[in-house]
Amino acid sequence: GYLTVSVDLPEQRVNEGDVLLCKINPHLNRVWIVGNFSSHEKIASSEWIVITPLEQVLNQYMRRYLQSNDFRNLLTSQVAGIGGSLVRAQPKNVRQYPVPGPPLAEQRRIVATLDSLLGKLRAARDLLDAARDSFALRRAAILHKAFSGQLTAAWRKEHPDLARPEFEEYQEQPYEIPESWAWMKVDKIVNSTNSGFACAKTHEISEFESDAYPHLRPNNIGFKEKLNLEKVVFIPKDKVEPTKSFLKKGSVLFNNTN
């Protein structure tokens, strides 16, 4: 069966237990239950739709349903406004939306089960976030060890007669490195450093034109350093300087944005 609920709009006074559904930018999933955090009268912004469930509907059950994809899809399918922050859900439509209505005892069971499952999901997400942060820190630490000589310290002891690189040395010492190493300035150890071609939308042409050249952009290289050519755009050859922007085998690309 389905339940109906009381939706209070003209008066924005709210009470403990009321369910607040945000009507502005309804694609953002914002639902809240008013708590007993103050003895003062509570007033909700006009951007909230105030929902007061009837006795046969748990407010926690109502809140969870309003957060579900089934309800959000319905809510976002009937909005008013021209886009962006001007889009709003319509309270008059919300009043007519159906809500699946199990018995009260089963609502309690559903809420308890959801709280448990969603709690586990949040814990898993926190672990993933921690693992991601830990990975970034570990990766940074390993790279530092590599480029400060710590990673190959034992190997150097086995090869004590290594010749020091004969490059013009960088005078400053950013951090300590082995005596057999030397700080070298970038422009002294590469043939060239150039910025790539900034491709505007107006430069793009069909790949089937005779002078079409593929234009490699940052989003064509994934986080795992894999080349992805599915979204390559093509530009005319005469728009770029061959000596500056054409890639050669062995070139190293460095993303200079973000």
Side-chain angles (χ1 to χ4, degrees), residues 6-175:
S6 171
V7 179
D8 181 25
L9 183 64
E11 296 292 334
Q12 287 297 316
R13 295 180 179 85
V14 296
N15 300 301
E16 181 182 357
D18 284 345
V19 181
L20 304 185
L21 171 67
C22 191
K23 66 181 181 180
I24 188 171
N25 292 339
H27 63 281
L28 299 177
N29 199 334
R30 293 177 288 196
V31 186
W32 186 56
I33 292 180
V34 179
N36 185 21
F37 54 87
S38 171
S39 60
H40 298 290
E41 186 177 39
K42 302 170 183 65
I43 306 294
S45 160
S46 61
E47 297 298 353
W48 291 102
I49 300 174
V50 182
I51 298 175
T52 305
L54 303 180
E55 290 183 0
Q56 67 265 39
V57 185
L58 291 177
N59 56 4
Q60 289 287 357
Y61 175 85
M62 191 69 189
R63 172 191 171 221
R64 291 303 189 192
Y65 179 68
L66 297 182
Q67 293 173 332
S68 71
N69 283 346
D70 295 316
F71 178 81
R72 307 309 300 188
N73 291 338
L74 185 60
L75 185 69
T76 54
S77 69
Q78 297 179 316
V79 295
I82 59 176
S85 62
L86 300 179
V87 172
R88 284 170 172 78
Q90 297 296 291
K92 65 180 180 180
N93 293 331
V94 173
R95 289 190 182 96
Q96 305 303 318
Y97 291 159
V99 179
L104 193 60
E106 192 169 356
Q107 291 180 40
R108 293 191 182 96
R109 178 62 180 174
I110 290 172
V111 170
T113 303
L114 283 175
D115 287 348
S116 175
L117 292 174
L118 295 177
K120 291 176 181 178
L121 282 178
R122 284 192 294 271
R125 181 193 60 195
D126 291 344
L127 287 174
L128 287 174
D129 289 342
R132 189 178 297 111
D133 293 340
S134 176
F135 171 79
L137 291 173
R138 289 174 183 270
R139 183 176 186 271
I142 290 173
L143 289 174
H144 177 70
K145 286 184 177 182
F147 298 110
S148 62
Q150 299 175 57
L151 207 60
T152 50
W155 184 87
R156 280 196 308 279
K157 289 181 179 180
E158 298 173 359
H159 302 78
D161 300 325
L162 294 173
R164 185 184 177 90
E166 295 182 0
F167 291 104
E168 180 180 337
E169 293 194 30
Y170 192 69
Q171 297 303 311
E172 296 181 15
Q173 303 291 314
Y175 54 82

Side-chain angles (χ1 to χ4, degrees), residues 181-202:
W181 291 23
W183 281 104
M184 302 170 290
K185 197 173 181 180
V186 171
D187 64 359
K188 302 300 181 182
I189 60 173
V190 300
N191 289 322
S192 63
T193 55
N194 293 307
S195 296
F197 173 70
C199 178
K201 194 72 176 176
T202 54

Side-chain angles (χ1 to χ4, degrees), residues 207-220:
E207 63 181 290
F208 300 107
E209 296 192 30
S210 60
D211 64 341
Y213 274 71
H215 181 235
L216 194 67
R217 300 173 296 170
N219 62 359
N220 294 125

